[in-house]
Amino acid sequence: MVPATASKRIPVVDYLVIEGEPHLEANACVACGALYFDRRNACARCGKLEFTRKTLATTGSLRSYTIIHRAAPNVPVPYVSSVIELDGGGVVKANLVAAGTDPEKIELGMKVALTTFPCGHDEEGTEAVAFGFVPA
Amino acid sequence: MSDSVWIIGTSMTKFGRYPDKDTVDLASEAALGALDDAGTTMADMGVLAVGCLLEASAMLGQRLQKQIGQSGVAVYNVANACATGATAVRTALLAIKAGEADLGLAVGVEQMGKAGLLGPAGQARSKPAGYTPSGRYGSVMAVEGILGTGLMPGVFAQAGMEYASRHSGVGFEQFAKVAEKNHAHSTLNPLAQYQKAFSLEQVMGAEMVAYPNTLLMCCPTGDGAAAVVLCSGAKLKSLGLDVRRRAVKVSASVLTSDPYVESDTAQPDVSTLTKMAAAQAYEAAGVGPADLDLVELHDCFATAELIHYENLSLCEAGGAGDFIDRRGPWRDGQTPVNVSGGLISKGHPIGATGVANLYEVATHLRGEAGDRQIDGARVGLAHVIGLGSACAVHVLERAAS
């Protein structure tokens, strides 16, 4: 029997899979292999209609970043926004965590690995889970 | 079909903040100024295109007509992000090229006030009752600050840092030098929102917004308008000598959108469509980057200007850092860039920007830019980019004389 108060977890976006080893999934165009994190009506590259879910690597490299000091209300600063090139394909935007906020210590091109962290609770007690990357 | 299109009148308001005026006041001032400059009136215009991002769905063009002249001609209300103004110009230009009109008026205007950070997620997060995945990403909340940033200072910072990751000699200091230059240039432009020079140390020491962009490396929000009167080559021959002498040829007008690139999944790529637009514009105009006497390009952030040096082929591949280090884009350098002060200091009322860039280039080509005149300017280029994306490049040439 499942207790009524069992804590539930939900990924903050549907391309994050949190069961088992957390990882990202993409919609891959069956015809050309182009990857998308959002729902697509047709492939932006080749125009074909068929997609399949593809598991992406949990490792990659730091393609770019910025350190945000001025943000929208309720967003804690400073934090590091980054563009990550995943090993084996896929480019994703996420926070770079546990790397500090000193630009002298953040190395472009460095190896990173996926991590997850809680990013909020709703009034029913469900925990939202986000992903970020840490220096590998 | 018209063989050529010319700018015969142009005007812009000083950029700044006008709490006592409305959008139509600003648009009227620029429109009437451009018509007067061309020695013509609304009664002669065969087409009107009005660019305004925030009021494009509110019949702004028709509201403008009611203040400056209603004649029943086609009116286009145009929105295309930060390329809105340039797209309005191109809309009027296409009507002339198609032979539907001999004369056309294009106006760009925006009234933003102090808008703060721009972007789809710039507002406060609300407290959720229950998480429900929604939208194309199946998200349960706004993810700004959780999955990176989508706000403009950070997006363009990441674009610049990607360039820095691929090319040596590009870092915080090179990006800051761009803003140092544009603030210095703006001191000569009475129409700029700000006209104050800052040292490189002041630029780098200012409040950090999104590393490497400090506050002095980000364009302000503001209010303003600009306008151009366009004329077909055939019609121009029937106009007076003074109009013909001051006419500026639109040698290329190009608009591009994003082709597919893999990194679109992270953020829009502002470089590829700019390179495409530049290549098409140089081809159409029959000029090359070395022929340009001045360039007004879309420096919404200092990081953006630096990468556009390469995107517009103003420097060698990988050479943008060296280009600013050796003062190539300063007004006395190899290719003067943003002698108006650029968006960073002249200001960026979104819809006005792409028309104001043409005002700036045309004014230099006419030899009428006063203290900031680039002597002997014959050919200039104006570039804007709206994130999402739309890129417009226009090449202008002085009338042969």
Side-chain angles (χ1 to χ4, degrees):
Chain A
M1 223 170 78
V2 179
T5 55
S7 65
K8 291 198 303 183
R9 300 167 79 232
I10 187 170
V12 69
V13 287
D14 65 10
Y15 57 93
L16 169 65
V17 178
I18 56 175
E19 292 82 29
E21 190 199 353
H23 63 275
L24 303 179
E25 274 187 2
N27 293 315
C29 174
V30 171
C32 78
L35 302 174
Y36 305 100
F37 292 113
D38 54 341
R39 175 174 64 80
R40 294 287 172 130
N41 299 76
C43 178
R45 183 159 82 177
C46 75
K48 296 293 197 315
L49 302 175
E50 201 182 338
F51 295 91
T52 184
R53 291 296 275 181
K54 182 180 177 186
T55 296
L56 303 183
T58 57
T59 56
S61 56
L62 181 66
R63 178 171 168 143
S64 187
Y65 74 94
T66 178
I67 306 163
I68 302 295
H69 289 264
R70 198 195 266 202
N74 298 349
V75 173
V77 290
Y79 74 93
V80 182
S81 171
S82 64
V83 177
I84 306 296
E85 199 154 318
L86 295 172
D87 296 334
V91 184
V92 68
K93 188 175 66 176
N95 287 2
L96 182 69
V97 298
T101 55
D102 178 358
E104 300 289 322
K105 293 177 179 154
I106 299 173
E107 195 187 335
L108 286 163
M110 72 179 177
K111 294 291 171 192
V112 296
L114 187 98
T115 187
T116 59
F117 57 92
C119 62
H121 289 85
D122 66 14
E123 289 179 359
E124 295 161 5
T126 301
E127 180 182 85
V129 179
F131 68 92
F133 289 85
V134 294
Chain B
M1 196 179 126
S2 174
D3 56 339
S4 62
V5 178
W6 300 72
I7 293 173
I8 59 167
T10 184
S11 179
M12 70 176 277
T13 69
K14 178 178 161 62
F15 283 179
R17 297 210 168 89
Y18 295 95
D20 299 330
K21 293 186 176 182
D22 64 20
T23 309
V24 177
D25 286 324
L26 296 171
S28 296
E29 183 181 332
L32 292 171
L35 290 166
D36 186 57
D37 184 45
T40 184
T41 69
M42 262 319 276
D44 295 322
M45 295 300 109
V47 60
L48 170 64
V50 177
C52 181
L53 192 59
L54 300 177
E55 294 188 33
S57 60
M59 300 298 270
L60 182 63
Q62 285 82 349
R63 284 157 53 210
L64 173 64
Q65 279 185 306
K66 291 176 177 64
Q67 304 306 318
I68 65 171
Q70 287 176 258
S71 58
V73 297
V75 174
Y76 298 93
N77 291 289
V78 177
N80 216 3
C82 296
T84 290
T87 307
V89 172
R90 191 168 154 70
T91 302
L93 179 142
L94 289 174
I96 293 171
K97 283 247 176 192
E100 288 197 3
D102 290 326
L103 288 162
L105 175 65
V107 183
V109 61
E110 209 76 60
Q111 197 163 30
M112 305 169 75
K114 292 191 85 158
L117 298 167
L118 298 189
Q123 309 304 317
R125 256 178 242 153
S126 56
K127 188 80 180 170
Y131 288 138
T132 308
S134 67
R136 286 179 177 252
Y137 293 94
S139 52
V140 301
M141 63 176 71
V143 297
E144 175 66 21
I146 295 172
L147 300 180
T149 187
L151 298 181
M152 297 303 112
V155 167
F156 282 94
Q158 287 177 162
M161 290 299 281
E162 181 172 330
Y163 187 83
S165 79
R166 292 182 182 182
H167 304 291
S168 60
V170 178
F172 184 23
E173 188 173 320
Q174 281 66 43
F175 294 124
K177 284 177 177 174
V178 170
E180 178 198 13
K181 169 183 69 74
N182 290 354
H183 286 294
H185 285 172
S186 75
T187 62
L188 298 174
N189 185 0
L191 300 174
Q193 185 164 346
Y194 300 105
Q195 294 148 39
K196 188 176 175 191
F198 295 93
S199 68
L200 182 61
E201 291 69 30
Q202 286 175 307
V203 172
M204 295 179 77
E207 178 197 338
M208 186 59 73
V209 175
Y211 179 89
N213 286 321
T214 68
L215 190 61
L216 290 173
M217 296 159 71
C218 302
C219 67
T221 58
D223 312 332
V228 292
V229 175
L230 299 175
C231 177
S232 70
K235 177 73 178 176
L236 182 64
K237 289 180 185 144
S238 73
L239 299 178
L241 179 62
D242 194 48
V243 174
R244 282 183 277 146
R245 184 182 58 78
R246 294 174 70 241
V248 170
K249 187 180 183 185
V250 183
S251 299
S253 172
V254 175
L255 183 65
T256 58
S257 61
D258 287 322
Y260 168 89
V261 297
E262 187 190 16
S263 62
D264 286 343
T265 47
Q267 68 172 30
D269 163 29
V270 299
S271 290
T272 306
L273 82 168
T274 297
K275 289 177 179 172
M276 287 168 54
Q280 290 175 34
Y282 289 135
E283 169 81 24
V287 305
D291 299 317
L292 300 175
D293 298 304
L294 76 157
V295 171
E296 289 286 305
L297 64 75
H298 203 74
D299 60 321
C300 46
F301 299 91
T303 47
E305 174 162 326
L306 192 103
I307 63 178
H308 291 318
Y309 295 152
E310 174 166 335
N311 293 335
L312 297 174
S313 297
L314 306 182
C315 66
E316 292 172 11
D322 175 62
F323 187 57
I324 186 71
D325 279 342
R326 61 185 166 84
R327 298 172 67 91
W330 282 74
R331 52 175 293 115
D332 56 355
Q334 177 187 316
T335 307
V337 174
N338 288 334
V339 295
S340 67
L343 281 57
I344 285 175
S345 195
K346 180 177 69 175
H348 183 26
I350 294 174
T353 293
V355 188
N357 286 353
L358 294 173
Y359 166 87
E360 182 70 17
V361 173
T363 301
H364 284 271
L365 299 184
R366 287 167 149 188
E368 299 172 0
D371 290 344
R372 68 184 188 285
Q373 176 69 40
I374 297 297
D375 289 333
R378 296 189 39 79
V379 186
L381 180 149
H383 158 264
V384 288
I385 182 165
L387 201 71
S389 300
C391 176
V393 170
H394 285 88
V395 175
L396 304 184
E397 287 184 80
R398 188 169 71 188
S401 58

